[in-house]
């Protein structure tokens, strides 16, 4: 059964810093991986989808990498801003189904 | 930009009552999903739906749950007899094709008393 973990659980950084959020999964037979952002009490906003055949995807200040064989993905946020403060979730879809297995999230605070 | 919408945003109900949560997926999407998030816990998959039938469901999705697409736009989740442990945020999601980017609605916060 796929298990997804995220480190750190919480992170507080000053504005302008570059930062890395980590996601690990136990079963490397994945189809794709999606990073989401969740604001308090709100829904999930899709950030990046990275296919199992890809090594990275970029969108603006965000870059997601995938190392399937080691069961890891990282989300890199460049030049962080207070508006980036949210919980970041990674979710893995395996080769056997359609649904996502979510990690517990990393709660990010960017201080002005 | 098209988005998934959900109603109501909040619902309070008594244990044992039936509730129906409603979702309007993005119009050209063909795959629909329900997830839930108990307060402080992970987002959990409940069910996926395609071509008017369930394509996949988790062990959480027992006989108390059902889904329906009653018309061309709505997608509903029914909980037949709510329990205290059903209290959670319920998210609807949709995707244009299978296994691609899922777009989530804002959620319905369900509180069972």
């Amino acid at each position: 059964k796929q298990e997804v973990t995220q480190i750190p659980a919480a992170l507080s950084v000053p504005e302008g810093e570059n930062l890395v959020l980590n996601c690990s999964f136990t079963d490397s037979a994945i189809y794709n991986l999606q990073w989401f952002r969740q604001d308090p009490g709100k829904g999930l906003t899709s950030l990046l989808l990275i296919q199992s055949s890809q090594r990275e995807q970029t969108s603006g200040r965000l870059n997601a990498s995938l190392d399937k064989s080691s069961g890891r993905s990282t989300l890199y946020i460049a030049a962080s801003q207070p508006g980036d403060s949210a919980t970041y979730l990674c979710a893995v879809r395996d080769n056997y189904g359609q649904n996502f297995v979510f990690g517990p999230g990393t709660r990010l605070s960017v201080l002005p | 930009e098209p988005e998934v919408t959900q109603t109501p945003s909040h619902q309070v109900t008594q244990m044992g009552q039936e509730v129906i949560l409603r979702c309007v997926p993005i119009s050209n999407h063909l795959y629909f999903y329900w997830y839930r998030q108990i307060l402080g816990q992970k987002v959990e998959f409940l069910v996926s739906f395609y071509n008017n039938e369930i394509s996949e469901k988790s062990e959480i999705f027992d006989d108390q749950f059902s889904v329906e697409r009653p018309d061309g736009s709505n997608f509903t989740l029914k909980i037949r007899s709510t329990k205290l442990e059903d209290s959670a945020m319920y998210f609807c999601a949709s995707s244009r094709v299978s296994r691609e980017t899922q777009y989530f609605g804002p959620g319905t916060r369900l509180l069972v008393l």
Side-chain angles (χ1 to χ4, degrees), chain A residues 19-84:
Chain A
L19 55 99
V20 174
L21 308 181
N22 297 290
C23 171
S24 297
F25 45 94
T26 53
D27 186 346
S28 62
I30 68 166
Y31 188 85
N32 54 33
L33 181 149
Q34 192 163 352
W35 281 93
F36 295 88
R37 167 189 174 133
Q38 185 176 28
D39 292 282
K42 300 286 181 63
L44 281 65
T45 302
S46 174
L47 298 174
L48 290 164
L49 177 78
I50 183 164
Q51 303 291 351
S52 62
S53 58
Q54 297 175 316
R55 294 196 63 84
E56 62 179 287
Q57 279 282 359
T58 298
S59 175
R61 294 183 293 110
L62 305 180
N63 176 276
S65 68
L66 176 64
D67 184 344
K68 203 172 72 158
S69 61
S70 67
R72 291 179 189 168
S73 176
T74 61
L75 180 67
Y76 175 83
I77 302 177
S80 58
Q81 303 170 357
D84 295 331

Side-chain angles (χ1 to χ4, degrees), chain B residues 13-19 79-84 112-113:
Chain B
T13 190
Q14 295 290 325
M15 190 169 59
Q17 295 294 304
E18 173 183 287
V19 295
I79 309 175
R80 197 157 319 169
S81 177
T82 50
K83 305 172 195 160
L84 296 176
V112 182
L113 301 176

Side-chain angles (χ1 to χ4, degrees), chain A residues 95-111:
Chain A
N95 283 331
Y96 318 115
Q98 297 174 13
N99 63 290
F100 277 117
V101 176
F102 278 82
T106 292
R107 191 171 65 253
L108 173 65
S109 296
V110 181
L111 307 173

Side-chain angles (χ1 to χ4, degrees), chain B:
Chain B
E1 185 174 323
E3 57 185 23
V4 177
T5 60
Q6 291 185 242
T7 55
S9 58
H10 294 78
Q11 178 141 8
V12 181
T13 190
Q14 295 290 325
M15 190 169 59
Q17 295 294 304
E18 173 183 287
V19 295
I20 297 176
L21 310 182
R22 291 183 167 79
C23 168
V24 178
I26 294 173
S27 63
N28 64 344
H29 285 190
L30 301 176
Y31 293 81
F32 314 114
Y33 314 85
W34 284 101
Y35 292 81
R36 78 172 186 191
Q37 185 177 33
I38 296 171
L39 189 64
Q41 297 188 21
K42 295 183 182 184
V43 176
E44 301 172 289
F45 169 76
L46 294 178
V47 66
S48 59
F49 191 85
Y50 169 71
N51 200 27
N52 282 318
E53 59 183 33
I54 291 173
S55 48
E56 192 174 347
K57 61 182 182 179
S58 72
E59 57 201 23
I60 302 169
F61 194 88
D62 61 22
D63 292 345
Q64 293 299 313
F65 292 89
S66 63
V67 288
E68 192 178 36
R69 189 154 160 83
D71 53 44
S73 59
N74 289 284
F75 178 51
T76 63
L77 174 69
K78 182 193 290 186
I79 309 175
R80 197 157 319 169
S81 177
T82 50
K83 305 172 195 160
L84 296 176
E85 55 264 36
D86 293 328
S87 295
M89 182 78 100
Y90 287 81
F91 294 109
C92 172
S94 69
S95 63
R96 194 173 55 85
V97 297
S98 176
R99 298 180 156 195
E100 292 306 319
T101 300
Q102 291 185 12
Y103 296 88
F104 280 67
T108 293
R109 186 172 296 283
L110 175 66
L111 179 59
V112 182
L113 301 176

